[in-house]
Amino acid sequence: MEFFDVLLRYEVALWSAVDQELGRRGQLGLGQLHALRAVGRHEGRARVQDLSGDIGITVGAASKLVDRLERDGLVARNPNPADRRSSLIALTPAGERALGSGSTVFRAAIDEALGGEDVAPVTATLERLASRLAESGPGVAA
Amino acid sequence: MEFFDVLLRYEVALWSAVDQELGRRGQLGLGQLHALRAVGRHEGRARVQDLSGDIGITVGAASKLVDRLERDGLVARNPNPADRRSSLIALTPAGERALGSGSTVFRAAIDEALGGEDVAPVTATLERLASRLAESGPGVAA
DNA sequence: AAAGATTGACTAATCAATCTTG
DNA sequence: CAAGATTGATTAGTCAATCTTT
């Protein structure tokens, strides 16, 4: 189970290293940045469900996450004309700025951590494994 | 940043899949099992600090984790004859049993998730990256 | 003083129950 | 009645302050 152990250990260590670098450079924490990246990918039309799936947390947790991002002025819930049960979540101008500058530091921190290592093969293998897993059982989903 | 994204996504998905399989088989959750595996590796002489480092959580969190494991009868804090500031944490008989049966299910769940994929190269690369990171900055440590 | 651990205040996750809309 | 989201109770983490022992 060496694979599982090192996967877990490295993921925790990398998250921690990147998060600390973000803090040193006066950026958002990695948790918030990770969320803003997900919101950004949905081009202003993110629903709470989408974020839940992207980030791998429950719908309830995603709802509260959006509460906090909204409180901090980084995203806004806009009415969904097609379905009044949900809102469409978009980045605010402040959210765009935080995502932009945070992403720059984020990329640099990862490049630094990789130190020239070619991770393309690892990336490919993990993609394959992730697909396998997604097919068999839908992780966090209800 | 495809590498970071898939690393994170897969780690979350794999954790979730294994955790659910443990639940279905009436075993401890993966969080607790992960902790018991760490305690077990220290052969009855684990200190709170050791677990903190192994698991990648703060010392305070590790102290509370041991509280819960102790409350559940899975580990015991024994006096440390060499240093009265710390205890030596050991598995109880119940803890040994839970670790044993949980590990069996754990291994099977991982094998199932890997589905014959050869992860040795990925493991080697992640080991190398983890070493790099450990040298530059000590993650969670105070 | 420093090291090891614990505790309290706070933050963020889970699950279950609930409310609204489709 | 399903689906989408929110909320409340609980659980587990962070950080900072503290206590004991070295």
Side-chain angles (χ1 to χ4, degrees):
Chain A
M1 302 302 91
E2 183 58 17
F3 168 69
F4 179 84
D5 290 338
V6 72
L7 176 71
L8 198 55
R9 182 155 43 90
Y10 182 61
E11 186 272 332
V12 169
L14 181 59
W15 178 286
S16 173
V18 172
D19 192 46
Q20 286 180 20
E21 181 63 11
L22 285 166
R24 271 192 292 272
R25 305 281 188 216
Q27 302 295 324
L28 291 179
L30 184 47
Q32 300 228 303
L33 181 59
H34 190 56
L36 287 193
R37 291 180 70 221
V39 173
R41 278 192 294 270
H42 286 278
E43 312 257 326
R45 308 192 131 67
R47 291 171 313 149
V48 167
Q49 292 228 318
D50 300 323
L51 302 182
S52 162
D54 289 0
I55 302 175
I57 57 180
T58 61
V59 170
S63 177
K64 294 178 186 178
L65 174 57
V66 173
D67 287 348
R68 295 191 299 274
L69 294 173
E70 200 170 27
R71 160 174 59 72
D72 296 345
L74 299 169
V75 308
R77 281 177 167 104
N78 299 312
N80 182 351
D83 185 341
R84 280 182 303 169
R85 289 175 302 184
S86 60
S87 301
L88 297 180
I89 301 156
L91 294 169
T92 60
E96 297 270 14
R97 283 194 299 275
L99 174 57
S101 60
S103 293
T104 302
V105 174
F106 173 75
R107 272 182 255 273
I110 298 221
D111 286 347
E112 163 70 19
L114 296 187
E117 178 86 39
D118 176 19
V119 292
V122 176
T123 301
T125 303
L126 292 179
E127 293 277 15
R128 194 159 47 240
L129 289 168
S131 301
R132 259 194 75 83
L133 215 49
E135 284 164 25
S136 51
V140 160
Chain B
M1 305 301 88
E2 185 57 17
F3 168 69
F4 179 84
D5 290 338
V6 73
L7 176 71
L8 198 54
R9 183 156 43 91
Y10 182 60
E11 186 272 330
V12 169
L14 181 59
W15 179 285
S16 174
V18 173
D19 191 46
Q20 285 179 20
E21 181 63 13
L22 286 165
R24 271 191 292 272
R25 306 279 187 215
Q27 302 295 324
L28 290 179
L30 184 47
Q32 300 227 302
L33 181 59
H34 189 57
L36 287 193
R37 292 179 69 220
V39 173
R41 278 193 294 269
H42 286 278
E43 313 256 325
R45 307 194 132 66
R47 292 170 311 149
V48 167
Q49 293 230 322
D50 300 323
L51 302 181
S52 160
D54 288 0
I55 302 176
I57 56 180
T58 61
V59 170
S63 178
K64 294 177 185 179
L65 173 58
V66 173
D67 287 348
R68 294 191 300 272
L69 294 173
E70 200 170 27
R71 159 174 59 75
D72 296 344
L74 299 168
V75 308
R77 282 177 167 103
N78 298 312
N80 181 352
D83 185 341
R84 280 181 303 168
R85 289 174 302 183
S86 59
S87 302
L88 298 180
I89 300 156
L91 293 169
T92 61
E96 298 269 14
R97 283 193 299 274
L99 175 58
S101 60
S103 292
T104 302
V105 175
F106 173 76
R107 271 182 257 273
I110 297 220
D111 285 348
E112 163 69 18
L114 297 187
E117 178 85 39
D118 175 21
V119 293
V122 176
T123 302
T125 303
L126 291 179
E127 292 278 14
R128 195 159 48 239
L129 288 169
S131 301
R132 258 193 75 82
L133 215 48
E135 284 164 23
S136 51
V140 160

PDB file of all heavy atoms in Angstrom, chain A residues 34-63:
ATOM      1  N   HIS A  34      -8.822  27.508  -4.548  1.00  0.00           N
ATOM      2  CA  HIS A  34      -9.299  26.309  -5.230  1.00  0.00           C
ATOM      3  C   HIS A  34     -10.771  26.483  -5.603  1.00  0.00           C
ATOM      4  O   HIS A  34     -11.203  26.144  -6.706  1.00  0.00           O
ATOM      5  CB  HIS A  34      -9.104  25.107  -4.308  1.00  0.00           C
ATOM      6  CG  HIS A  34      -9.338  23.785  -4.955  1.00  0.00           C
ATOM      7  ND1 HIS A  34      -8.668  23.373  -6.078  1.00  0.00           N
ATOM      8  CD2 HIS A  34     -10.170  22.770  -4.647  1.00  0.00           C
ATOM      9  CE1 HIS A  34      -9.081  22.164  -6.427  1.00  0.00           C
ATOM     10  NE2 HIS A  34     -10.000  21.773  -5.576  1.00  0.00           N
ATOM     11  N   ALA A  35     -11.536  27.039  -4.688  1.00  0.00           N
ATOM     12  CA  ALA A  35     -12.957  27.278  -4.943  1.00  0.00           C
ATOM     13  C   ALA A  35     -13.149  28.321  -6.046  1.00  0.00           C
ATOM     14  O   ALA A  35     -13.970  28.132  -6.945  1.00  0.00           O
ATOM     15  CB  ALA A  35     -13.640  27.743  -3.654  1.00  0.00           C
ATOM     16  N   LEU A  36     -12.380  29.387  -5.998  1.00  0.00           N
ATOM     17  CA  LEU A  36     -12.525  30.427  -7.029  1.00  0.00           C
ATOM     18  C   LEU A  36     -12.156  29.894  -8.403  1.00  0.00           C
ATOM     19  O   LEU A  36     -12.766  30.256  -9.412  1.00  0.00           O
ATOM     20  CB  LEU A  36     -11.634  31.636  -6.709  1.00  0.00           C
ATOM     21  CG  LEU A  36     -12.065  32.538  -5.569  1.00  0.00           C
ATOM     22  CD1 LEU A  36     -11.271  33.834  -5.601  1.00  0.00           C
ATOM     23  CD2 LEU A  36     -13.548  32.824  -5.613  1.00  0.00           C
ATOM     24  N   ARG A  37     -11.172  29.021  -8.460  1.00  0.00           N
ATOM     25  CA  ARG A  37     -10.806  28.424  -9.744  1.00  0.00           C
ATOM     26  C   ARG A  37     -11.993  27.639 -10.303  1.00  0.00           C
ATOM     27  O   ARG A  37     -12.287  27.698 -11.490  1.00  0.00           O
ATOM     28  CB  ARG A  37      -9.595  27.498  -9.584  1.00  0.00           C
ATOM     29  CG  ARG A  37      -8.305  28.251  -9.272  1.00  0.00           C
ATOM     30  CD  ARG A  37      -7.125  27.289  -9.115  1.00  0.00           C
ATOM     31  NE  ARG A  37      -6.725  26.686 -10.361  1.00  0.00           N
ATOM     32  CZ  ARG A  37      -6.374  25.411 -10.518  1.00  0.00           C
ATOM     33  NH1 ARG A  37      -6.381  24.593  -9.476  1.00  0.00           N
ATOM     34  NH2 ARG A  37      -6.021  24.958 -11.691  1.00  0.00           N
ATOM     35  N   ALA A  38     -12.676  26.904  -9.431  1.00  0.00           N
ATOM     36  CA  ALA A  38     -13.839  26.139  -9.880  1.00  0.00           C
ATOM     37  C   ALA A  38     -14.942  27.077 -10.367  1.00  0.00           C
ATOM     38  O   ALA A  38     -15.526  26.869 -11.433  1.00  0.00           O
ATOM     39  CB  ALA A  38     -14.349  25.249  -8.745  1.00  0.00           C
ATOM     40  N   VAL A  39     -15.217  28.118  -9.599  1.00  0.00           N
ATOM     41  CA  VAL A  39     -16.247  29.082 -10.018  1.00  0.00           C
ATOM     42  C   VAL A  39     -15.869  29.671 -11.373  1.00  0.00           C
ATOM     43  O   VAL A  39     -16.706  29.768 -12.285  1.00  0.00           O
ATOM     44  CB  VAL A  39     -16.390  30.216  -8.978  1.00  0.00           C
ATOM     45  CG1 VAL A  39     -17.342  31.291  -9.500  1.00  0.00           C
ATOM     46  CG2 VAL A  39     -16.901  29.667  -7.646  1.00  0.00           C
ATOM     47  N   GLY A  40     -14.607  30.031 -11.519  1.00  0.00           N
ATOM     48  CA  GLY A  40     -14.149  30.643 -12.766  1.00  0.00           C
ATOM     49  C   GLY A  40     -14.342  29.738 -13.974  1.00  0.00           C
ATOM     50  O   GLY A  40     -14.720  30.194 -15.056  1.00  0.00           O
ATOM     51  N   ARG A  41     -14.101  28.441 -13.767  1.00  0.00           N
ATOM     52  CA  ARG A  41     -14.230  27.510 -14.897  1.00  0.00           C
ATOM     53  C   ARG A  41     -15.653  27.438 -15.429  1.00  0.00           C
ATOM     54  O   ARG A  41     -15.864  27.057 -16.565  1.00  0.00           O
ATOM     55  CB  ARG A  41     -13.783  26.097 -14.468  1.00  0.00           C
ATOM     56  CG  ARG A  41     -12.282  25.894 -14.497  1.00  0.00           C
ATOM     57  CD  ARG A  41     -11.920  24.423 -14.357  1.00  0.00           C
ATOM     58  NE  ARG A  41     -12.273  23.869 -13.059  1.00  0.00           N
ATOM     59  CZ  ARG A  41     -11.466  23.860 -11.999  1.00  0.00           C
ATOM     60  NH1 ARG A  41     -10.253  24.371 -12.094  1.00  0.00           N
ATOM     61  NH2 ARG A  41     -11.854  23.330 -10.866  1.00  0.00           N
ATOM     62  N   HIS A  42     -16.626  27.804 -14.586  1.00  0.00           N
ATOM     63  CA  HIS A  42     -18.016  27.709 -15.028  1.00  0.00           C
ATOM     64  C   HIS A  42     -18.529  29.006 -15.649  1.00  0.00           C
ATOM     65  O   HIS A  42     -19.734  29.138 -15.908  1.00  0.00           O
ATOM     66  CB  HIS A  42     -18.920  27.274 -13.862  1.00  0.00           C
ATOM     67  CG  HIS A  42     -18.774  25.823 -13.513  1.00  0.00           C
ATOM     68  ND1 HIS A  42     -19.414  24.832 -14.201  1.00  0.00           N
ATOM     69  CD2 HIS A  42     -18.014  25.192 -12.587  1.00  0.00           C
ATOM     70  CE1 HIS A  42     -19.078  23.648 -13.691  1.00  0.00           C
ATOM     71  NE2 HIS A  42     -18.230  23.841 -12.717  1.00  0.00           N
ATOM     72  N   GLU A  43     -17.630  29.966 -15.836  1.00  0.00           N
ATOM     73  CA  GLU A  43     -17.970  31.170 -16.616  1.00  0.00           C
ATOM     74  C   GLU A  43     -19.206  31.903 -16.106  1.00  0.00           C
ATOM     75  O   GLU A  43     -20.078  32.273 -16.902  1.00  0.00           O
ATOM     76  CB  GLU A  43     -18.209  30.771 -18.075  1.00  0.00           C
ATOM     77  CG  GLU A  43     -17.138  29.864 -18.655  1.00  0.00           C
ATOM     78  CD  GLU A  43     -16.193  30.635 -19.559  1.00  0.00           C
ATOM     79  OE1 GLU A  43     -16.659  31.561 -20.214  1.00  0.00           O
ATOM     80  OE2 GLU A  43     -14.988  30.302 -19.573  1.00  0.00           O
ATOM     81  N   GLY A  44     -19.287  32.067 -14.798  1.00  0.00           N
ATOM     82  CA  GLY A  44     -20.403  32.842 -14.259  1.00  0.00           C
ATOM     83  C   GLY A  44     -21.707  32.072 -14.138  1.00  0.00           C
ATOM     84  O   GLY A  44     -22.722  32.641 -13.746  1.00  0.00           O
ATOM     85  N   ARG A  45     -21.690  30.775 -14.492  1.00  0.00           N
ATOM     86  CA  ARG A  45     -22.927  29.987 -14.430  1.00  0.00           C
ATOM     87  C   ARG A  45     -22.778  28.777 -13.501  1.00  0.00           C
ATOM     88  O   ARG A  45     -23.405  27.741 -13.734  1.00  0.00           O
ATOM     89  CB  ARG A  45     -23.332  29.502 -15.823  1.00  0.00           C
ATOM     90  CG  ARG A  45     -23.402  30.579 -16.855  1.00  0.00           C
ATOM     91  CD  ARG A  45     -24.070  30.120 -18.142  1.00  0.00           C
ATOM     92  NE  ARG A  45     -25.097  31.073 -18.573  1.00  0.00           N
ATOM     93  CZ  ARG A  45     -24.845  32.308 -18.988  1.00  0.00           C
ATOM     94  NH1 ARG A  45     -23.622  32.761 -19.027  1.00  0.00           N
ATOM     95  NH2 ARG A  45     -25.838  33.092 -19.357  1.00  0.00           N
ATOM     96  N   ALA A  46     -21.988  28.902 -12.463  1.00  0.00           N
ATOM     97  CA  ALA A  46     -21.787  27.769 -11.547  1.00  0.00           C
ATOM     98  C   ALA A  46     -22.983  27.615 -10.626  1.00  0.00           C
ATOM     99  O   ALA A  46     -23.489  28.597 -10.079  1.00  0.00           O
ATOM    100  CB  ALA A  46     -20.525  27.988 -10.736  1.00  0.00           C
ATOM    101  N   ARG A  47     -23.460  26.399 -10.466  1.00  0.00           N
ATOM    102  CA  ARG A  47     -24.465  26.131  -9.455  1.00  0.00           C
ATOM    103  C   ARG A  47     -23.751  25.506  -8.257  1.00  0.00           C
ATOM    104  O   ARG A  47     -22.628  24.998  -8.373  1.00  0.00           O
ATOM    105  CB  ARG A  47     -25.525  25.163  -9.983  1.00  0.00           C
ATOM    106  CG  ARG A  47     -26.406  25.781 -11.064  1.00  0.00           C
ATOM    107  CD  ARG A  47     -27.261  24.738 -11.700  1.00  0.00           C
ATOM    108  NE  ARG A  47     -26.445  23.563 -12.030  1.00  0.00           N
ATOM    109  CZ  ARG A  47     -26.888  22.316 -12.050  1.00  0.00           C
ATOM    110  NH1 ARG A  47     -28.135  22.058 -11.762  1.00  0.00           N
ATOM    111  NH2 ARG A  47     -26.088  21.325 -12.357  1.00  0.00           N
ATOM    112  N   VAL A  48     -24.407  25.505  -7.105  1.00  0.00           N
ATOM    113  CA  VAL A  48     -23.823  24.923  -5.911  1.00  0.00           C
ATOM    114  C   VAL A  48     -23.427  23.468  -6.176  1.00  0.00           C
ATOM    115  O   VAL A  48     -22.363  23.009  -5.765  1.00  0.00           O
ATOM    116  CB  VAL A  48     -24.802  25.023  -4.726  1.00  0.00           C
ATOM    117  CG1 VAL A  48     -24.363  24.148  -3.573  1.00  0.00           C
ATOM    118  CG2 VAL A  48     -24.915  26.475  -4.267  1.00  0.00           C
ATOM    119  N   GLN A  49     -24.278  22.751  -6.883  1.00  0.00           N
ATOM    120  CA  GLN A  49     -23.995  21.356  -7.236  1.00  0.00           C
ATOM    121  C   GLN A  49     -22.711  21.188  -8.022  1.00  0.00           C
ATOM    122  O   GLN A  49     -21.961  20.242  -7.824  1.00  0.00           O
ATOM    123  CB  GLN A  49     -25.116  20.847  -8.136  1.00  0.00           C
ATOM    124  CG  GLN A  49     -26.419  20.706  -7.460  1.00  0.00           C
ATOM    125  CD  GLN A  49     -27.028  19.373  -7.760  1.00  0.00           C
ATOM    126  OE1 GLN A  49     -26.980  18.926  -8.889  1.00  0.00           O
ATOM    127  NE2 GLN A  49     -27.562  18.733  -6.760  1.00  0.00           N
ATOM    128  N   ASP A  50     -22.490  22.102  -8.973  1.00  0.00           N
ATOM    129  CA  ASP A  50     -21.294  22.012  -9.805  1.00  0.00           C
ATOM    130  C   ASP A  50     -20.045  22.120  -8.939  1.00  0.00           C
ATOM    131  O   ASP A  50     -19.094  21.350  -9.094  1.00  0.00           O
ATOM    132  CB  ASP A  50     -21.291  23.136 -10.850  1.00  0.00           C
ATOM    133  CG  ASP A  50     -22.499  23.062 -11.779  1.00  0.00           C
ATOM    134  OD1 ASP A  50     -22.910  21.938 -12.123  1.00  0.00           O
ATOM    135  OD2 ASP A  50     -23.039  24.130 -12.140  1.00  0.00           O
ATOM    136  N   LEU A  51     -20.065  23.084  -8.028  1.00  0.00           N
ATOM    137  CA  LEU A  51     -18.907  23.290  -7.166  1.00  0.00           C
ATOM    138  C   LEU A  51     -18.710  22.081  -6.261  1.00  0.00           C
ATOM    139  O   LEU A  51     -17.581  21.632  -6.041  1.00  0.00           O
ATOM    140  CB  LEU A  51     -19.085  24.552  -6.334  1.00  0.00           C
ATOM    141  CG  LEU A  51     -19.294  25.825  -7.175  1.00  0.00           C
ATOM    142  CD1 LEU A  51     -19.416  27.032  -6.270  1.00  0.00           C
ATOM    143  CD2 LEU A  51     -18.171  26.007  -8.176  1.00  0.00           C
ATOM    144  N   SER A  52     -19.809  21.552  -5.745  1.00  0.00           N
ATOM    145  CA  SER A  52     -19.727  20.361  -4.917  1.00  0.00           C
ATOM    146  C   SER A  52     -18.990  19.237  -5.648  1.00  0.00           C
ATOM    147  O   SER A  52     -18.067  18.627  -5.105  1.00  0.00           O
ATOM    148  CB  SER A  52     -21.146  19.913  -4.553  1.00  0.00           C
ATOM    149  OG  SER A  52     -21.150  18.564  -4.122  1.00  0.00           O
ATOM    150  N   GLY A  53     -19.377  19.007  -6.894  1.00  0.00           N
ATOM    151  CA  GLY A  53     -18.733  17.959  -7.679  1.00  0.00           C
ATOM    152  C   GLY A  53     -17.273  18.269  -7.991  1.00  0.00           C
ATOM    153  O   GLY A  53     -16.401  17.415  -7.837  1.00  0.00           O
ATOM    154  N   ASP A  54     -17.008  19.496  -8.381  1.00  0.00           N
ATOM    155  CA  ASP A  54     -15.649  19.866  -8.776  1.00  0.00           C
ATOM    156  C   ASP A  54     -14.675  19.764  -7.621  1.00  0.00           C
ATOM    157  O   ASP A  54     -13.528  19.352  -7.786  1.00  0.00           O
ATOM    158  CB  ASP A  54     -15.613  21.310  -9.292  1.00  0.00           C
ATOM    159  CG  ASP A  54     -16.284  21.448 -10.653  1.00  0.00           C
ATOM    160  OD1 ASP A  54     -16.769  20.437 -11.187  1.00  0.00           O
ATOM    161  OD2 ASP A  54     -16.310  22.570 -11.183  1.00  0.00           O
ATOM    162  N   ILE A  55     -15.143  20.197  -6.435  1.00  0.00           N
ATOM    163  CA  ILE A  55     -14.235  20.295  -5.303  1.00  0.00           C
ATOM    164  C   ILE A  55     -14.204  19.003  -4.504  1.00  0.00           C
ATOM    165  O   ILE A  55     -13.258  18.739  -3.771  1.00  0.00           O
ATOM    166  CB  ILE A  55     -14.653  21.490  -4.406  1.00  0.00           C
ATOM    167  CG1 ILE A  55     -14.644  22.774  -5.241  1.00  0.00           C
ATOM    168  CG2 ILE A  55     -13.738  21.634  -3.211  1.00  0.00           C
ATOM    169  CD1 ILE A  55     -15.142  23.985  -4.500  1.00  0.00           C
ATOM    170  N   GLY A  56     -15.258  18.208  -4.657  1.00  0.00           N
ATOM    171  CA  GLY A  56     -15.292  16.950  -3.920  1.00  0.00           C
ATOM    172  C   GLY A  56     -15.753  17.115  -2.488  1.00  0.00           C
ATOM    173  O   GLY A  56     -15.242  16.461  -1.575  1.00  0.00           O
ATOM    174  N   ILE A  57     -16.712  18.000  -2.268  1.00  0.00           N
ATOM    175  CA  ILE A  57     -17.322  18.155  -0.952  1.00  0.00           C
ATOM    176  C   ILE A  57     -18.832  17.966  -1.142  1.00  0.00           C
ATOM    177  O   ILE A  57     -19.318  17.941  -2.269  1.00  0.00           O
ATOM    178  CB  ILE A  57     -17.026  19.540  -0.320  1.00  0.00           C
ATOM    179  CG1 ILE A  57     -17.492  20.660  -1.248  1.00  0.00           C
ATOM    180  CG2 ILE A  57     -15.546  19.671  -0.012  1.00  0.00           C
ATOM    181  CD1 ILE A  57     -17.231  22.060  -0.689  1.00  0.00           C
ATOM    182  N   THR A  58     -19.561  17.858  -0.046  1.00  0.00           N
ATOM    183  CA  THR A  58     -21.000  17.660  -0.165  1.00  0.00           C
ATOM    184  C   THR A  58     -21.688  18.954  -0.605  1.00  0.00           C
ATOM    185  O   THR A  58     -21.096  20.037  -0.556  1.00  0.00           O
ATOM    186  CB  THR A  58     -21.598  17.239   1.191  1.00  0.00           C
ATOM    187  OG1 THR A  58     -21.363  18.276   2.133  1.00  0.00           O
ATOM    188  CG2 THR A  58     -20.975  15.942   1.689  1.00  0.00           C
ATOM    189  N   VAL A  59     -22.945  18.817  -1.003  1.00  0.00           N
ATOM    190  CA  VAL A  59     -23.709  19.980  -1.437  1.00  0.00           C
ATOM    191  C   VAL A  59     -23.872  20.971  -0.289  1.00  0.00           C
ATOM    192  O   VAL A  59     -23.762  22.189  -0.482  1.00  0.00           O
ATOM    193  CB  VAL A  59     -25.091  19.544  -1.970  1.00  0.00           C
ATOM    194  CG1 VAL A  59     -25.983  20.741  -2.201  1.00  0.00           C
ATOM    195  CG2 VAL A  59     -24.929  18.772  -3.280  1.00  0.00           C
ATOM    196  N   GLY A  60     -24.122  20.462   0.909  1.00  0.00           N
ATOM    197  CA  GLY A  60     -24.257  21.336   2.068  1.00  0.00           C
ATOM    198  C   GLY A  60     -23.000  22.147   2.316  1.00  0.00           C
ATOM    199  O   GLY A  60     -23.056  23.353   2.562  1.00  0.00           O
ATOM    200  N   ALA A  61     -21.868  21.485   2.223  1.00  0.00           N
ATOM    201  CA  ALA A  61     -20.598  22.178   2.440  1.00  0.00           C
ATOM    202  C   ALA A  61     -20.359  23.214   1.349  1.00  0.00           C
ATOM    203  O   ALA A  61     -19.859  24.310   1.628  1.00  0.00           O
ATOM    204  CB  ALA A  61     -19.448  21.179   2.472  1.00  0.00           C
ATOM    205  N   ALA A  62     -20.741  22.894   0.122  1.00  0.00           N
ATOM    206  CA  ALA A  62     -20.556  23.832  -0.982  1.00  0.00           C
ATOM    207  C   ALA A  62     -21.424  25.064  -0.781  1.00  0.00           C
ATOM    208  O   ALA A  62     -21.008  26.186  -1.072  1.00  0.00           O
ATOM    209  CB  ALA A  62     -20.880  23.149  -2.305  1.00  0.00           C
ATOM    210  N   SER A  63     -22.642  24.851  -0.279  1.00  0.00           N
ATOM    211  CA  SER A  63     -23.538  25.980  -0.022  1.00  0.00           C
ATOM    212  C   SER A  63     -22.912  26.940   0.998  1.00  0.00           C
ATOM    213  O   SER A  63     -22.929  28.160   0.816  1.00  0.00           O
ATOM    214  CB  SER A  63     -24.875  25.453   0.487  1.00  0.00           C
ATOM    215  OG  SER A  63     -25.741  26.520   0.808  1.00  0.00           O
TER     216      SER A  63
END
